[in-house]
Every structure is written in structure tokens, then in C-alpha cells.
Amino acid sequence: MNTKFDLNDDSLVVIVGSGAGGGTLANELAQKGIKSVVLEAGKRFKLDDIENDEWKMFGKISWLDKRYLEGPARLAKDFPNLPAWIVKGVGGATMHWAGVAMRFQEHEFRMRTENGTVPGANVLDWPITLKELDPYYYKAEQKMGVCGTEATGMPFHGKSSHYKVIEEGARRIGAKCEQATLAINTQIRDGRPSCQVNGFCMQGCRIGAKWSTMYTEIPRAEATGLVEVRPQSMALRIEHDKQGNVTGVLYADKDGNQHFQKARLVSVAANSIESPRLLLNSASPMFPDGLANGSGQVGQNYMTHTTAGVYGEFEQPVHMYKSTVVPGIVHEWKDNDPSRGHVAGYELEVLHLGLPFMSAFLNPGKSGWGRELADSLANYDRMAGFWICGEDMPVESNNITLHPTEKDQYGLPVPVVYKTDHINDTRMRNHAYDRSTELLEAVGAKKVNYLPPYPASHNMGTNRMSRHARDGVVNRWGQSHEIQNLFISDGSQFTTSGTENPTLTIVALAIRQADYIADQMKRGNL
């Protein structure tokens, strides 16, 4: 159904972004009879557009608009204009994600209570608990088709050779390794096929076995006749009335023409760089520091997880690429145990990097050349290893700001992303390097390579949830503390990053938020 709404229809919800948050919210609201327009900056792709080719798909779907990455971290030197590895297209980063779907742990909602004040960090407890979110996690797992969960009853993917190598290494050092709960079908389910183990999960799943809003939530929302998706529509600013309530979104279409879509309510779900950027670009005399920014926290506390890669080279072939991208997780150090020398936890995600990306990320990094690099790449089929994924500290100076002079193609200031390690992040990464090396050597690795962090796929914080308006941007429902008809629906509302990949939590929060919006509309509060 090809619904078209009038620009002057002020009964609509306008959702900026179509990924895990925005795409899910649009469908959840539609199923409750609530109309919306989804503004998506990127193109609309079809399954036929997806190719099993790393660099082709990187160029085709990645968000490559001008950005600046600053800070002393090596990432800023290696990738000065690519702070994040995310998608510009209908479906957002759910096209690119590896499908890892894990619930936060109970203690991760209360890290301030667990650890007290962490010097140099801006740690806060979430205003919600795991108990409150559990029913929505269950619904999210059902919706997304997460294998290995009670919600679906779908079995895990089979154990690949890569998984078996890591599982044995973990056993030898007394660490806990388990198969990954993935939102990738292991059976025909929900009108989508089972996984064929193509191994190109992060380039987009060309058969649709992996959950993505591109071909699940968005088409279902449109089928109700209550949702219009406008691709290649870049949100420029959110306007408000004299009372401070938002009235709609100004956006540019693919030809650069500007339109103003009126709204009853606006949801921002444009990922953790573009969402605060939109609020900052929406400054006005009433909101001089940016929309909903009375706390000064819009754009602050940017988190990407504490990350790095660790890959061992072995005597015999492993063929790690013959697998889903993430077949398993070493969970041993996911708890909060300060005796390790750092607070918060991390997981070792058994992850295969395709050969093109391995060549880009192996030391010496972007300049990649030399005998050592060539020898390691020659051993690619004998590699096994991890992506370290740990909770990074929210730090106020890790932030998104607007460039003072440089403008993008729409005439808006380009975003400047500042990100560097808190000392806790560095200590955690070093602990993870040591444990990873121990595990890989225990199972026979003859050489272990450390890969520095690469552009972030997990982007969180910058519009965080807080109990009190002074500490954050939105309340426990993702609703602005200051503007009742403005919501944040993506990972930027995360108070802390947790150890787990963020997508399942984004979806669970979007389902919960849709319930709240529908209830508040019925009560006449929105």
C-alpha cells in the first residue's frame, strides 16, 4: 500500500530514521492504529542490491557524509572522517549488524550504584530496571527471531570450526564459551528463510535470514496503510511553537528541495551522531543551546564500547569465514568485578573479519604494507579470534558538537565527534588482550595479532535517559524532559553502554515506547 500524507497533516507521528529504533517504532505504532511518516536520509535498497562483497557494500550502504573524528586515540588518525561504521538507507544499521542479540545484565542498569563515582566518568543509573524491560526483551526476541531463546524455540546455529577452536581454548583456561544468540533464522520462520551460512552478515543478508527492519518492520508498517516512508529525506531541523512543543520537521528531499512536515509528535532515531546533531541544529531563542538541551547533555557521553580485535594464527586451517560472522561468545569476564583492575565487564565475540577488512585493520593499520602483514594475510585461512566488546565509560568530553565553519551539502554544520579512552577502557582492553592471548595460545596459536579499535558500529549515549532532568535528555520512556511531544528512540538514549551489542535493547525500548505513546495519546496527554 503506497500511502501519501499531506505535509499539513498535524495528526501524524514523524519518525526520523528507519533502523532498529525508528523502523520498529513505526510498525508498533501502526499496529495500534497510529499514523506516521518516516524520514530516512538514505536510499531504499532491495535484496537484489545486496552483494557478498565487503568493499562494494561498504561503499554502497555506509554513511559517508562528511564528519570529523578528533581526539588522541589512534582511530582519529587512522579514520579521521569515519568515526562510525553505520548505514545510510532504509533499515539503517540493521542492514549491517552481525545479528548478535543479547539482553543487558541486571547490574548494568545500575552502574553508579554498583561502583559509586568513577573519577573522570559521568556514570549514572538507568531510570529503568531489567525486570521492567524483560517482557519487552521477550517480545523483541520473538519479533526478531533470536535463535537459542525461549521466545522463539529456534535452535542455535551449528558449531563452526571457528567456534570449536575457541570453545576448546576457553575450556583449557577454564573460561565460559557459548554459542551466540543471533537474530538470524535457523529455521524457516516469519516468512523468511533459514541461514545458508554465506558469511557476509555485515554486508547485508541477501536472502533475508537475518532480521532487518528493511524487509520486516518497514514493509509491515506500510502494509497497514498508516505509514509513509520517505527515503532520501534528510531531516534539517525540528520546529516548535510558542509553548515549546514541537510542531514538525524541516527536511530536504533527494533534489535538495526543502519541505516542512507537520507533526503531533516527533521521534528522533537517527543514530547517536545524527540524533544529537539534529537537536543541536534545531536551536532557537527558546532553546539557545539546542532543542531539549536544558541539561547541557545533548551530544555528551558518547559511547562505542571498549573494542579491539585479537586474532591468532595456527598451524592448521580453521576457515573461520565458513560461519555466521559471530558464532559464539566467551562470557567469562562480562560481570562487574573491580578486582580485575577495571569496573564493568567485557565479552570476547568470536568474529570473523573478511579478508578485505582484515587487511585494512591489521597492524600497521590503514597504511598496511610490509613483510609481517603479508605473512599474516597469507595465513588468513589459519586464523581464529575475537572482537573485544566491553562496557565503555560515559565521559562528558566524549561528544558530538557542530563544526564552527564547515557546512555539509545541506548547509548544516558538519558533526565533530570527539572520542578517547577513559583509563578504565584502557585497563579493560589490556585485560582482554591478555586473556585472549592466553586462550588462543592454549589451543596452539603460534602468533597473536592485536587489532586496534576500528570505526564504531555500536553508537550509544549522547541523548541519555535519566531520572532527573538535570542529568540527561529524556525520561524512562525516551521522552524529552523538557518537550513532552519529543522522543528519542535509538541507542542515543542509553544511559550506559552495557557489555552487550545494543540492537536488542533498542528494539525492546521501541516496543515499550510505542505502548507508552499509544497510552498517552488515549489519555489526551500527547
Side-chain angles (χ1 to χ4, degrees):
M1 213 176 283
N2 200 9
T3 305
K4 295 280 184 196
F5 291 117
D6 192 276
L7 289 170
N8 291 312
D9 187 344
D10 60 4
S11 69
L12 304 168
V13 174
V14 174
I15 300 170
V16 181
S18 62
T24 300
L25 183 66
N27 187 31
E28 288 290 312
L29 291 176
Q31 303 305 328
K32 300 173 193 298
I34 298 169
K35 298 179 294 182
S36 69
V37 166
V38 178
L39 301 176
E40 168 53 56
K43 296 176 182 174
R44 186 153 204 167
F45 296 100
K46 304 184 295 293
L47 283 176
D48 289 349
D49 294 319
I50 296 172
E51 303 173 72
N52 290 343
D53 183 311
E54 283 95 340
W55 284 126
K56 261 194 187 173
M57 289 307 293
F58 179 83
K60 189 184 282 191
I61 67 175
S62 297
W63 190 294
L64 299 174
D65 290 21
K66 189 67 175 283
R67 291 167 165 174
Y68 286 101
L69 177 58
E70 295 183 350
R74 175 171 165 177
L75 188 63
K77 296 178 184 65
D78 284 354
F79 302 96
N81 301 116
L82 191 73
W85 186 6
I86 56 174
V87 171
K88 189 177 186 180
V90 174
T94 65
M95 283 183 75
H96 154 67
W97 77 309
V100 179
M102 296 184 285
R103 299 183 185 193
F104 268 41
Q105 302 164 77
E106 190 177 356
H107 71 268
E108 288 173 326
F109 290 95
R110 49 167 203 267
M111 293 303 282
R112 176 67 183 264
T113 299
E114 287 282 310
N115 299 305
T117 302
V118 178
N122 194 11
V123 182
L124 206 62
D125 289 349
W126 287 62
I128 58 173
T129 64
L130 178 61
K131 189 175 179 183
E132 287 175 79
L133 206 53
D134 266 339
Y136 294 98
Y137 272 138
Y138 189 89
K139 288 178 181 179
E141 288 162 352
Q142 279 188 319
K143 175 190 286 292
M144 299 162 77
V146 181
C147 70
T149 63
E150 184 189 327
T152 66
M154 265 199 305
F156 285 107
H157 293 255
K159 293 184 178 183
S160 65
S161 57
H162 190 199
Y163 178 83
K164 288 175 182 174
V165 168
I166 301 302
E167 183 183 44
E168 177 59 19
R171 187 191 66 78
R172 290 184 185 186
I173 68 166
K176 182 176 160 194
C177 181
E178 293 178 351
Q179 289 178 270
T181 49
L182 304 173
I184 303 175
N185 284 352
T186 54
Q187 298 169 341
I188 296 170
R189 183 184 185 277
D190 200 32
R192 294 183 289 116
S194 61
C195 177
Q196 294 178 358
V197 200
N198 291 328
F200 289 87
C201 310
M202 293 199 296
Q203 283 62 58
C205 180
R206 65 187 299 180
I207 64 167
K210 180 186 79 176
W211 179 84
S212 169
T213 59
M214 168 189 165
Y215 41 74
T216 58
E217 307 307 305
I218 292 292
R220 281 175 194 164
E222 290 175 313
T224 66
L226 298 173
V227 176
E228 180 191 353
V229 177
R230 296 180 191 161
Q232 294 178 279
S233 296
M234 177 71 179
L236 305 178
R237 63 181 285 122
I238 300 167
E239 301 286 1
H240 63 81
D241 61 20
K242 288 176 184 172
Q243 286 72 46
N245 291 316
V246 296
T247 54
V249 181
L250 181 71
Y251 69 95
D253 65 21
K254 67 181 190 308
D255 300 315
N257 300 313
Q258 295 189 6
H259 311 274
F260 182 72
Q261 176 62 58
K262 289 186 177 178
R264 177 179 181 178
L265 179 155
V266 173
S267 150
V268 181
N271 212 300
S272 292
I273 296 174
E274 290 302 313
S275 287
R277 181 190 182 208
L278 179 59
L279 297 184
L280 294 172
N281 275 325
S282 301
S284 69
M286 186 180 279
F287 299 100
D289 298 320
L291 210 57
N293 195 23
S295 65
Q297 293 295 299
V298 169
Q300 313 300 314
N301 312 300
Y302 175 55
M303 298 171 289
T304 60
H305 280 138
T306 298
T307 65
V310 185
Y311 288 87
E313 298 173 32
F314 294 85
E315 294 286 351
Q316 299 298 320
V318 177
H319 302 301
M320 65 176 173
Y321 49 88
K322 294 184 177 181
S323 166
T324 54
V325 166
V326 180
I329 316 273
V330 178
H331 288 294
E332 186 66 26
W333 303 284
K334 70 178 182 179
D335 58 335
N336 183 61
D337 179 5
S339 71
R340 290 197 294 263
H342 62 83
V343 300
Y346 66 86
E347 283 155 330
L348 303 178
E349 302 197 359
V350 186
L351 181 146
H352 79 251
L353 274 176
L355 184 57
F357 291 142
M358 184 65 79
S359 68
F361 299 144
L362 263 177
N363 270 320
K366 199 179 166 194
S367 64
W369 60 276
R371 172 57 56 200
E372 186 182 359
L373 179 77
D375 287 349
S376 287
L377 291 177
N379 286 331
Y380 177 75
D381 64 345
R382 300 177 182 198
M383 282 186 178
F386 309 103
W387 185 58
I388 296 165
C389 185
E391 178 165 348
D392 59 336
M393 291 295 104
V395 174
E396 214 161 337
S397 56
N398 284 336
N399 58 17
I400 316 301
T401 55
L402 303 178
H403 197 281
T405 56
E406 190 161 349
K407 304 282 197 289
D408 68 6
Q409 64 267 43
Y410 306 104
L412 295 175
V414 300
V416 179
V417 179
Y418 185 96
K419 180 73 165 85
T420 195
D421 272 2
H422 182 275
I423 187 63
N424 193 76
D425 307 339
T426 307
R427 288 169 178 162
M428 178 187 289
R429 186 181 296 109
N430 289 339
H431 189 276
Y433 276 149
D434 289 346
R435 297 290 77 72
S436 301
T437 302
E438 182 187 7
L439 187 155
L440 293 167
E441 288 180 344
V443 77
K446 56 181 183 156
K447 182 187 176 193
V448 176
N449 301 287
Y450 295 166
L451 280 62
Y454 38 87
S457 293
H458 300 173
N459 296 275
M460 300 154 289
T462 70
N463 291 310
R464 73 178 180 181
M465 268 191 194
S466 62
R467 195 173 306 281
H468 304 293
R470 66 177 182 266
D471 297 323
V473 180
V474 296
N475 66 15
R476 61 203 312 275
W477 305 104
Q479 180 181 31
S480 163
H481 284 299
E482 297 172 68
I483 304 168
Q484 66 172 0
N485 65 337
L486 175 65
F487 286 76
I488 301 293
S489 310
D490 58 14
S492 71
Q493 67 188 305
F494 282 27
T495 311
T496 50
S497 75
T499 305
E500 294 74 22
N501 303 42
T503 306
L504 182 70
T505 302
I506 294 171
V507 173
L509 288 170
I511 297 169
R512 178 175 173 271
Q513 188 180 77
D515 283 355
Y516 176 74
I517 289 171
D519 176 67
Q520 292 298 298
M521 283 183 167
K522 270 185 199 156
R523 293 171 187 263
N525 295 334
L526 284 174

